[in-house]
Amino acid sequence: LSFFFLDDEYQWKGPFYFIQGADPQFGLMKAWAVGDTNSGDDEWGEEIKLAEQAVHAINKLNPKPKFFVLCGDLIHGMPGTQWRKDQEQDLKNVLKNTDQDIPLVFVSGNHDIGNTPTRETIDNYCKNWGDDYFSFWVGGVFFLVLNSQLYFDSSKCPELKQAQDMWLNEQLAIAEKHKCKHIIVFQHIPLFLRKPDEDHDYFNFEKSVRQEIMEKFHKAGIKAVFSGHYHRNAGGSYRGLEMVVSSAIGCQLGEDTHGLRVVIVTDEKIVHRYYSLNELNSQGIEKELLDMLAKQN
């Protein structure tokens, strides 16, 4: 990601797009099928094929996306489980084939660092995939990658949650100073699935935590939060902040197809559309979205 830290990325240069994927989660399809999500994840051939299909579709796109972000649950095996290392290695082998001009951005999910992460599980993730939270600039747009597990349950590492909170406040102050075009957030767990005041469950944030973060994001002028975790497409909005929940590359828990989201960033707005892997592979991005990219400001 080093070239994102160049100074000229603070400047708006016209519309661009990126690809968001979520939950390749090597091992879940078998575990889900056999009804054993703790140790039934000893096969992931199906997920390898889907991840290969995703990489293939992305490599064919013209113009190229600015980056490909994977919003967590890279693999199914929780920290300390049997197949984890193999799942990670197999995913890395697939991702190595991504066009070298398309940087990969990784977001940590609950399966990557545990439902209740510890300093050790987070360190282990960072060694494998890079920082669990960081920021970068692309063409005048400021992107924040967050570790949403610290908001879900930081009981075993409260000091790490505190560190992320402080860092986030600093980043939002930087964004304000630079007068960026848009601020966009990536995290694994959605703030909410459809409505800002919906009940708390496994797939969203606890209400008081959610309220605090939504307010902070709203005040900072954040335009959109992109997440995964739900294995279905969903979303809603809170006071101008759009919450986008994308279905999985891997196992589907609803009616959606294995897919990726194409996200176009224009001067005024952020436009996105979810494509099935088959659709993206065979047809690419539709004309109306390509036209948005072609409009030079």
Side-chain angles (χ1 to χ4, degrees), residues 15 28 173 201 288:
L28 176 58
D201 67 17
E288 96 190 85

Side-chain angles (χ1 to χ4, degrees), residues 40 43 51 107 121 143 146 155 165 199 229 233 248 271 290:
E43 286 174 27
V107 181
T121 64
F143 291 93
L146 297 180
S155 57
D165 284 342
D199 288 342
H229 189 51
N233 286 309
V271 181
L290 288 173

Side-chain angles (χ1 to χ4, degrees), residues 135-151:
S135 64
F136 60 94
W137 289 82
V138 180
V141 177
F142 192 43
F143 291 93
L144 293 164
V145 171
L146 297 180
N147 178 345
S148 56
Q149 227 45 47
L150 294 174
Y151 296 116

Side-chain angles (χ1 to χ4, degrees), residues 87-248:
Q87 289 167 358
E88 285 179 336
Q89 194 50 58
D90 283 353
L91 178 58
K92 285 180 181 177
N93 290 343
V94 172
L95 293 174
K96 273 183 197 135
N97 297 317
T98 310
D99 185 314
Q100 60 187 19
D101 295 330
I102 305 172
L104 293 166
V105 177
F106 297 110
V107 181
S108 62
N110 56 307
H111 283 264
D112 306 308
I113 58 176
N115 284 325
T116 305
T118 63
R119 186 174 278 278
E120 187 190 10
T121 64
I122 291 174
D123 282 349
N124 190 8
Y125 170 86
C126 293
K127 283 192 194 89
N128 256 307
W129 302 102
D131 292 341
D132 59 323
Y133 57 89
F134 56 96
S135 64
F136 60 94
W137 289 82
V138 180
V141 177
F142 192 43
F143 291 93
L144 293 164
V145 171
L146 297 180
N147 178 345
S148 56
Q149 227 45 47
L150 294 174
Y151 296 116
F152 194 80
D153 182 0
S154 62
S155 57
K156 289 192 177 156
C157 55
E159 74 289 356
L160 296 183
K161 175 186 186 292
Q162 212 176 344
Q164 177 172 252
D165 284 342
M166 280 176 60
W167 173 85
L168 179 57
N169 291 338
E170 285 161 12
Q171 296 299 307
L172 295 175
I174 290 169
E176 187 173 31
K177 195 179 94 200
H178 276 286
K179 296 282 176 273
C180 54
K181 187 62 83 173
H182 305 293
I183 312 173
I184 294 174
V185 172
F186 299 121
Q187 58 188 51
H188 179 61
I189 299 181
L191 296 167
F192 57 88
L193 297 174
R194 303 196 191 281
K195 296 194 178 76
D197 60 349
E198 70 197 16
D199 288 342
H200 165 56
D201 67 17
Y202 176 77
F203 288 112
N204 61 17
F205 280 2
E206 196 271 310
K207 272 180 153 177
S208 61
V209 175
R210 179 195 317 169
Q211 189 56 43
E212 192 183 329
I213 296 171
M214 289 189 312
E215 231 355 79
K216 178 184 285 202
F217 285 4
H218 164 68
K219 282 204 177 84
I222 291 172
K223 286 276 175 66
V225 176
F226 288 88
S227 70
H229 189 51
Y230 192 44
H231 296 254
R232 285 156 279 213
N233 286 309
S237 66
Y238 172 79
R239 305 181 67 183
L241 166 74
E242 190 184 5
M243 180 68 241
V244 184
V245 184
S246 292
S247 197

Side-chain angles (χ1 to χ4, degrees), residues 37-50:
T37 52
N38 293 325
S39 54
D41 60 332
D42 58 347
E43 286 174 27
W44 49 91
E46 196 57 38
E47 283 98 338
I48 290 176
K49 282 197 206 105
L50 290 161

Side-chain angles (χ1 to χ4, degrees), residues 47-89:
E47 283 98 338
I48 290 176
K49 282 197 206 105
L50 290 161
E52 284 172 346
Q53 208 184 341
V55 167
H56 188 252
I58 291 167
N59 287 346
K60 282 191 342 195
L61 294 172
N62 184 22
K64 288 188 197 311
K66 288 285 185 186
F67 59 88
F68 171 29
V69 57
L70 270 171
C71 282
D73 281 2
L74 306 172
I75 50 148
H76 182 68
M78 287 278 187
T81 57
Q82 190 177 357
W83 307 107
R84 185 178 169 88
K85 283 267 171 291
D86 294 341
Q87 289 167 358
E88 285 179 336
Q89 194 50 58

